[in-house]
Amino acid sequence: MSEKKAQLSIDGKDSPIELPVYSGSTGPDVIDVRGLVAQGVFTYDPGFVSTAACESDITYIDGGAGVLLHRGYPIEQLAEKSNFLETCYLLLHGELPSKQEADKFENTIRYHTMVDEAIHQFFRGFPRDAHPMAMLCAVVGGLSAFYHDDLDIDNADHRLLAAHRVIAKMPTLAAMCFKHGMGQPFMYPQNKMGFAENFLHMMFGTPCEEPNVSPILAKAMDTLFLLHADHEQNASTSTVRLAGSTGTNPYACIASGIAALWGPAHGGANEAVLDMLNEIGDESRIEEYIGRAKDKNDPFRLMGFGHRVYKNYDPRATVIRGICDEVLDELGAENDPLLRMAKKLEKIALEDEYFIERKLFPNVDFYSGIILKAIGIPTEMFTVIFATGRTPGWIAHWHEMLSNPYKIGRPRQLYKGHTKRDYPG
Ligand code: SDX
């Protein structure tokens, strides 16, 4: 039972309403407002700025300090010492795997990477220039058609099988989105390859030549996936949880997360950053665009800057900025004009009072696109990469929610429409 209490006095109400206050293992306390509906009032929090929608053990963010922990491990340490599949295991199971557990998990994922041949027909129906996120959203939702019947979401083993399938198949489907756009044959996953190496092979390999993936680019890709793996209750993860709370199947939930991630205010920002840098075009125009970003009458915002939670550097952006230099050096593109412009833009913005006052720093999307472009991934594929990396986070939150008592999510509203009126005549 909660030790702390909050008291809420409302004008016109006889006595204050007493509400329990809970403390987590770290982070802000929460006020349990569930009792308010019995008192005839709702809380009001558009955008859920001050709302904790659930309990979770998976990821903790301290936005003021720029801290990101997955099951307690700092993202900087995971990026340096772990890998994507080990982090997937950590997000799903709560602890780092032993060597034996890691090998078993990697093998499990490996043997789920192929997709049903019928899915190849899904892609044939899309126009060649379909946006890859439109295709990914559709085909992931379509996985429900292949696995819907043998899935009991109240059975933890069934949930973990769905988690393994969706983590394993996402890179295969992502690469198929790219290949369809290129008019090239789909490449089958290679069981002898690592996760990120396999993805780059399925993206850039062809049946006409032997596989040839740079180990440095594969490592950079793996770290990028890892850095995108989870991020607490962000918009797309909250969408997955809300969909999951109705009891629908996990593939439909993940498809809803993909749809939410696509927005430029969320995961679509990495694509929007490259479009922005290309639109700015030259370092001499940076000041003009900084001015537009500050102009309330101009809808332009500095893409890749700002964050609902981070009011400090996004620790992922710091790691990605470092990988940028490594990858571009490896590719002999250390003088990449886009990277040079991004660094100049970052410097100018961070010295500008408008950004300092509002605590607007580069977020995960600011530099990621520069690496992806250097690897040869087209801009419209950037958010597909983000979705591939975020899949373990989405499915870990879905699994966590269904592993504990939960209720269907059903927010209320502040109604400002007409009160009752009779139909004329
Ligand atoms: C992701 O939630 C997550 O964890 C998301 C994510 C994840 O891993 O899942 O981290 C991934 O989505 C990162 C964010 C990617 N989006 C962008 O880079 C798009 C550009 N950023 C903005 O749209 C904005 O910063 C948001 C959407 C990210 C955050 O918006 P908020 O929290 O609603 O903040 P706000 O709009 O209330 O802004 C506060 C002030 C406003 O000015 P004032 O009204 O106070 O004068 O800051 C300004 C905003 O106008 N502002 C910006 C700005 N971001 C905020 N001004 C110019 N450029 C920007 N980028």
Side-chain angles (χ1 to χ4, degrees), residues 87-211:
T87 300
C88 291
Y89 184 97
L90 175 67
L91 292 171
L92 270 175
H93 297 287
E95 296 296 338
L96 290 168
S98 64
K99 173 77 172 67
Q100 189 186 8
E101 289 165 333
D103 292 345
K104 181 169 182 273
F105 183 74
E106 188 167 351
N107 221 39
T108 300
I109 296 299
R110 176 174 291 122
Y111 285 95
H112 281 295
T113 48
M114 274 211 298
V115 295
D116 190 297
E117 283 291 296
I119 288 189
H120 290 218
Q121 307 315 321
F122 279 50
F123 284 93
R124 303 291 178 228
F126 293 120
R128 190 52 53 75
D129 63 352
H131 194 288
M133 281 296 278
M135 292 191 268
L136 188 70
C137 196
V139 293
V140 170
L143 288 177
S144 314
F146 295 86
Y147 303 114
H148 177 82
D149 297 338
D150 60 0
L151 180 69
D152 171 6
I153 61 170
D154 297 320
N155 178 323
D157 292 337
H158 285 210
R159 292 201 298 272
L160 287 173
L161 173 56
H164 298 154
R165 278 180 169 145
V166 76
I167 290 169
K169 295 180 193 307
M170 201 60 80
T172 308
L173 295 170
M176 291 172 81
C177 293
F178 175 64
K179 285 301 195 187
H180 177 70
M182 296 283 285
Q184 288 186 356
F186 300 133
M187 296 298 287
Y188 287 96
Q190 296 296 310
N191 288 343
K192 61 179 184 297
M193 290 187 177
F195 187 92
E197 179 192 10
N198 215 349
F199 171 67
L200 292 177
H201 167 64
M202 292 188 284
M203 282 284 291
F204 300 114
T206 72
C208 317
E209 52 197 14
E210 287 306 307

Side-chain angles (χ1 to χ4, degrees), residues 231 265-266 296 301-302 304-305 307-308 316 354 363 390:
H231 213 238
H266 189 14
K296 286 286 156 251
R301 284 196 163 181
L302 212 49
F305 257 75
H307 199 277
R308 171 61 59 75
R316 301 167 297 175
Y354 174 94
N363 59 49
R390 183 52 54 87

Side-chain angles (χ1 to χ4, degrees), residues 386-421:
F386 194 145
T388 303
R390 183 52 54 87
T391 295
W394 287 333
I395 203 72
H397 280 275
W398 173 79
H399 178 51
E400 178 184 66
M401 180 178 73
L402 294 177
S403 303
N404 297 287
Y406 67 96
K407 295 174 77 69
I408 186 170
R410 204 283 188 211
R412 302 302 304 274
Q413 64 181 6
L414 173 64
Y415 178 67
K416 304 287 285 284
H418 285 287
T419 52
K420 183 179 178 301
R421 56 179 172 163

